[in-house]
Each structure stands twice: as C-alpha cells, then as structure tokens.
Amino acid sequence: GGAITGFMLLFILIGMIYTPYDPDAMDATAKFAGMSFKHPMGCDNFGRDILSRVMEGAGTTLLVATGTVLIGTVFGIIMGAFTGYFGGIVDEVIMRITDAINGFPSILLALVVISVLGTGVDKLILALAIVFCPSFIRIVRSEFIKYRDADFVVRARLMGVSNMRILFVHILPNLFSTFLVSVMIGFNNAILAESGMSFLGIGVQPPDASLGKMLSDAQGYLGSAPWYALAPGLSIVWIVLGFSLLSEGIRLQSD
C-alpha cells in the first residue's frame, strides 16, 4: 500500500512541476491518436495528450480529497472531542445534526450544497467536507467517550490539569492509529466522490482536468478509442487501492 501510494504521489508531484505537453493544448492532427512513443497514453477527441491531462487531473482529484479530509479532520477532532468528553445538551444537538446529514445520500447532499454555492474546486471541497465531516466527528467522539473516564484522565483531573490539556495532550495522542485509518478511508471516499461528481458534470468544470471528467468525456468513445478511458480509470483504481492497502496495514499494526 505504501509503495503504490508513494508511486502515485510521486506521479502527481511530477505533474505539478512538469508535463510532456500543455494539458489544455489542442492538436487537430492528433485527434484520437493511439498510444505511441510520442503520446504514451494516446490523445483525446480534441487532440490533447492524455498523459499530461492525467497528471494534471490526478493532482486536481488529490487536491479536492486533501482539502476535504483536512477540513473534516479539523472539525471532526474539535467537535468530536468536546461532545465525547463533555456530553450533555451540546452532544445531543451535534449528534442529531450529524444524524440528519447522514440521512441524506452523500452525492445528493453535495449536489444540494453545490447548487447553493455554485461550481468550482473550492466549492466542491466545501461540499464534500460537509458530507464527510459527520463521520470524523462520530469516530473521534466514540474514542473520547472511551477514554474520558480512564485512570490517567482521572488522575490528571485530580492534579488540576485543565480540560483543554486533557483533551488535546492526554487523550488525543491515543487516537492516532484509529484516526489515521479513518483519514486513509476518508481519502478513498473523497477521491471516489469527486470522481463520481465530476463524471456527472457537477464537480470539476472544464477546462480544468479531472479523472472523473475524463472518464465522462471518454464514455462515448469506448469502442473507437478505449485508451481514452483506460488511463484515468486505472489512475483512480491505483490511488484507491494504495490508500485501501495502506489503511489496512495501519489497522493491522495497531491491533
């Protein structure tokens, strides 16, 4: 898992610095050009180099996933810690809100948010963060409930340690392995959600490249130009597979 993820991250990092061609440059003479030394992954219906677009599109997809997980992690830790440790009416209110959010299909809820905020990468990140935040809150909350009456926490209270220090210095480090697995799974879900929404035309918008959008554009040419869908499809599979294996390895190590 680490090897696959590392390879894909290196591929994306190189794409941020260098691509063989301008990802948006069109060449009428290269329309549907097959895989060759000049174009290792072929060209699309506009004559754009697919390798260059995959390198840029994978970076866009990972950017959306990173932003989604980062926002979900920050809010999940803060809100999950307070609700799990203190409980009471605040816990009840936040849990009912998360239940309401979880009651909607994730893609449908993200679509509603985008319809209100508009399209764009930043809007997509915010929409997906709203969708995924409740799962992070629940995971952190359950762990803080488990530890809030532990012996080391009780001793810290008797010593007069502040609640903030107990929350983020005494308890939070014990969540590292569990939360890291959740982050890896969150990356997977965010990548698949972004790809699905871009495939449906409600995610990343042209001319920006996205793996999901490339698959959407390629679906009408599967018979005549199968290489068009092969590269972005395999990229999604490899990224998701890498994070899945990595999360499973971390889980087994923690057990």
Side-chain angles (χ1 to χ4, degrees):
I4 294 173
T5 303
F7 172 79
M8 290 305 302
L9 291 178
L10 179 62
F11 177 77
I12 292 170
L13 180 61
I14 293 173
M16 294 178 179
I17 302 170
Y18 165 80
T19 55
Y21 298 89
D22 181 350
D24 299 322
M26 302 181 187
D27 183 359
T29 63
K31 283 184 62 175
F32 293 121
M35 290 183 281
S36 64
F37 182 77
K38 185 178 180 181
H39 299 286
M41 294 183 179
C43 295
D44 64 11
N45 53 318
F46 293 105
R48 297 173 296 191
D49 182 63
I50 292 178
L51 174 59
S52 300
R53 290 189 63 77
V54 166
M55 294 174 79
E56 183 183 50
T60 302
T61 299
L62 189 65
L63 172 64
V64 172
T66 301
T68 300
V69 172
L70 184 61
I71 295 174
T73 299
V74 171
F75 277 89
I77 289 176
I78 294 173
M79 299 180 72
F82 277 90
T83 56
Y85 183 77
F86 293 106
I89 187 64
V90 175
D91 180 37
E92 286 296 322
V93 171
I94 292 178
M95 286 302 100
R96 298 299 75 79
I97 293 174
T98 58
D99 288 341
I101 293 175
N102 286 329
F104 288 90
S106 57
I107 297 295
L108 179 60
L109 181 59
L111 176 59
V112 171
V113 175
I114 287 178
S115 66
V116 174
L117 299 177
T119 57
V121 173
D122 55 340
K123 310 294 193 308
L124 180 59
I125 291 174
L126 181 58
L128 292 178
I130 292 174
V131 170
F132 288 109
C133 197
S135 62
F136 288 110
I137 293 174
R138 285 188 169 279
I139 292 169
V140 175
R141 173 181 177 270
S142 64
E143 291 296 308
F144 270 82
I145 289 175
K146 181 172 71 175
Y147 284 109
R148 67 186 179 188
D149 293 322
D151 290 342
F152 69 91
V153 175
V154 173
R155 286 196 296 269
R157 289 198 200 102
L158 293 174
M159 293 172 63
V161 177
S162 67
N163 286 323
M164 293 299 101
R165 184 173 178 82
I166 291 175
L167 286 174
F168 298 111
V169 176
H170 291 263
I171 299 180
L172 186 60
N174 294 284
L175 278 64
F176 179 76
S177 59
T178 300
F179 200 70
L180 189 57
V181 172
S182 302
V183 168
M184 295 295 104
I185 295 173
F187 264 107
N188 265 359
N189 293 335
I191 288 168
L192 291 174
E194 184 282 324
S195 299
M197 293 180 68
S198 296
F199 182 86
L200 296 173
I202 54 178
V204 177
Q205 299 298 307
D208 294 334
S210 166
L211 298 179
K213 181 59 179 171
M214 291 181 69
L215 280 177
S216 178
D217 294 339
Q219 64 178 333
Y221 308 102
L222 292 177
S224 58
W227 59 85
Y228 194 172
L230 185 64
L234 287 178
S235 296
I236 294 173
V237 170
W238 273 101
I239 294 173
V240 171
L241 177 63
F243 279 118
S244 296
L245 292 175
L246 194 58
S247 65
E248 182 65 14
I250 294 171
R251 186 189 68 79
L252 292 174
Q253 288 289 337
S254 63
D255 290 344

